[in-house]
Structures are given as C-alpha cells and as structure tokens.
C-alpha cells in the first residue's frame, strides 16, 4: 500500500492542471483572434481597391487622340488692328484722339493708345533747326523712322522766335502740320516759351489762326 500510495501520488503529480490548460487555450485563442483582426483591418478591401483603381484611371492622362479638340478664339483687339498694316496711315488706324484723365484714347476703339515719335528743334530763325521744318523731313519720320507723331517746338520770346518773326515761325508750323496730315501722322504744336504767362494774348491769337 505504501508503495502503491507513492506510485499513485507520483502519477497524480504528473497530471496537468485542467484549469491552467483552459486559461492557456483561451489566451492563445485571443492572440490568434487579435492577429486575424489586425491583418483584416490593414488589408484593403476589394471595394476600396476598386475605388482607388478608378481614381487612378481618372487622373491618368488620356492619349492625345482621345482628347477633345478645343479651339479658342479671342475678339480682335486694338493692337491686332494696328500692327503690320502698311496700307493705311496711323491716323486712319487710330482715328480721333481724346483723353480720359491722363490716358490717351482712340475714339475709334475706345481704348488706350501709345504714340511714338520725334521732336523738332526750336523753330527760331537762324538757330539751325528751322531747316527741318520741311515736308521731306516729316516724310522721313513717317515712312522711314515709322513715327506716329511729331512735335513742332515753336520758339516764342527768344531771338528769332514768334515774337520777333511771327510770320516766318507760323509758316514753319503750317508746313509741318500739312506734311503730317499728308503722311498720316499726328502733330503736337508746342508754344515753346519759358514765360508763357507773359504772352497769353499772342498765344490765343496764334492758336486761333493755326486751328483753322
């Protein structure tokens, strides 16, 4: 009996504890379930993959043959109407000019314009610049230099100017005006005086006559 008791006691000590085994099984089961859930969560679903594929197809650039042909046209501008046209003069292109504040406008297009040109030297007799107050000089500026405007600077109070020689200086200005009209460019008539306030009456008389 004593030996049998020892033998039975030995067998009883080697038998696994059922409570411990159940706890171990439950623990491993939970670990496996967590792993499955983690893998399933991180794996993209078929619907998400399809949406992503559709998005990539939408972003991708189609072939040139598949792109619709779109022709963009713009309305003609003032610049389009004025450049590279030698058949008509600058004045015919722009028409009458007017001002809006400090901006020079073409009445024909109601748009801002920019004129480029040269200024003649003072018109005073024996100053040397009067020789350029001639039709040939204005023709050169209009056709060769491609000026759109010329300035006629008529000297007033200095020697040889309008006060000393009104007829000669007025005649030079008229020649420039007629030539500018003939070759289709604009002209600025400059009462070129450093003391214009002293010659108001003379200026009124001059511009009243020259504007006819």
């Amino acid at each position: 009996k004593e030996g049998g008791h020892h033998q039975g006691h030995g067998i009883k000590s080697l038998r696994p504890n059922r409570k411990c085994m159940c706890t171990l099984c439950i623990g491993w089961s939970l670990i496996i379930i967590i792993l499955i859930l983690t893998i399933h969560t991180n794996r993209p679903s078929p619907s998400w993959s399809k949406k992503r594929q559709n998005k990539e197809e939408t972003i991708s650039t189609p072939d040139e043959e598949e792109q619709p042909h779109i022709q963009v046209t713009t309305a003609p501008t003032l610049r389009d109407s004025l450049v590279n046209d030698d058949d008509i003069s600058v004045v015919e292109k722009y028409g009458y000019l007017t001002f809006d504040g400090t901006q020079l406008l073409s009445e024909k297009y109601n748009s801002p314009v920019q004129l480029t040109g040269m200024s003649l030297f003072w018109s005073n007799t024996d100053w040397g610049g009067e020789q350029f107050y001639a039709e040939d000089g204005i023709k050169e500026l209009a056709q060769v230099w491609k000026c759109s405007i010329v300035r006629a600077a008529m000297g007033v109070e200095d020697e040889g100017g309008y006060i000393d020689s009104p007829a000669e200086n007025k005649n030079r200005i008229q020649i420039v005006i007629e030539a500018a009209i003939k070759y289709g460019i604009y002209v600025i008539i400059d009462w070129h005086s450093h003391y214009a306030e002293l010659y108001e009456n003379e200026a009124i008389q001059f511009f009243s006559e020259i504007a006819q």
Side-chain angles (χ1 to χ4, degrees):
K1 287 182 180 180
E2 185 178 352
H5 176 74
H6 286 294
Q7 185 177 3
H9 178 75
I11 293 173
K12 183 178 181 180
S13 63
L14 293 175
R15 185 179 299 170
N17 191 317
R18 291 183 180 181
K19 187 179 292 186
C20 293
M21 289 295 294
C22 290
T23 303
L24 184 62
C25 290
I26 292 172
W28 278 108
S29 299
L30 289 174
I31 293 173
I32 293 172
I33 291 172
I34 291 171
L35 289 174
I36 293 173
L37 290 175
T38 303
I39 296 172
H40 181 75
T41 303
N42 294 331
R43 185 178 61 184
S45 63
S47 59
W48 184 86
S49 299
K50 188 175 182 180
K51 290 180 181 179
R52 182 177 180 182
Q53 183 179 2
N54 293 337
K55 185 176 181 181
E56 291 176 353
E57 290 177 355
T58 303
I59 296 174
S60 61
T61 305
D63 296 331
E64 293 183 359
E65 296 179 355
E66 297 177 358
Q67 294 180 351
H69 179 68
I70 301 175
Q71 184 176 2
V72 179
T73 57
T74 57
T77 62
L78 174 62
R79 180 177 176 83
D80 296 332
S81 303
L82 300 181
V83 298
N84 299 326
D85 190 355
D86 296 329
D87 296 333
I88 60 177
S89 70
V90 173
V91 174
E92 289 174 314
K93 293 174 183 178
Y94 287 87
Y96 287 102
L97 301 179
T98 184
F99 282 95
D100 182 9
T102 59
Q103 222 166 27
L104 185 64
L105 302 179
S106 164
E107 283 192 351
K108 186 175 182 180
Y109 295 94
N110 194 30
S111 299
V113 297
Q114 183 181 42
L115 303 177
T116 56
M118 299 292 295
S119 174
L120 300 178
F121 191 65
W122 295 33
S123 66
N124 301 49
T125 302
D126 295 331
W127 279 34
E130 68 271 22
Q131 61 181 312
F132 299 104
Y133 285 74
E135 179 180 331
D136 290 343
I138 305 306
K139 179 182 179 181
E140 182 85 2
L141 292 178
Q143 296 185 349
V144 179
W145 290 48
K146 302 300 181 182
C147 292
S148 56
I149 191 169
V150 61
R151 171 175 171 255
M154 188 184 71
V156 179
E157 72 274 359
D158 291 290
E159 182 180 357
Y162 180 79
I163 301 301
D164 286 347
S165 306
E168 292 180 1
N169 282 276
K170 180 181 176 181
N171 183 60
R172 293 177 186 126
I173 298 301
Q174 287 177 324
I175 290 174
V176 172
I177 293 173
E178 295 298 327
I181 294 173
K182 182 176 180 178
Y183 297 106
I185 65 174
Y186 296 94
V187 57
I188 297 174
I189 303 171
D190 176 18
W191 179 264
H192 201 67
S193 171
H194 293 167
Y195 307 97
E197 71 278 4
L198 302 179
Y199 304 99
E200 182 178 348
N201 293 331
E202 290 83 353
I204 292 173
Q205 180 181 353
F206 170 77
F207 282 106
S208 297
E209 294 173 357
I210 211 72
Q212 299 299 320

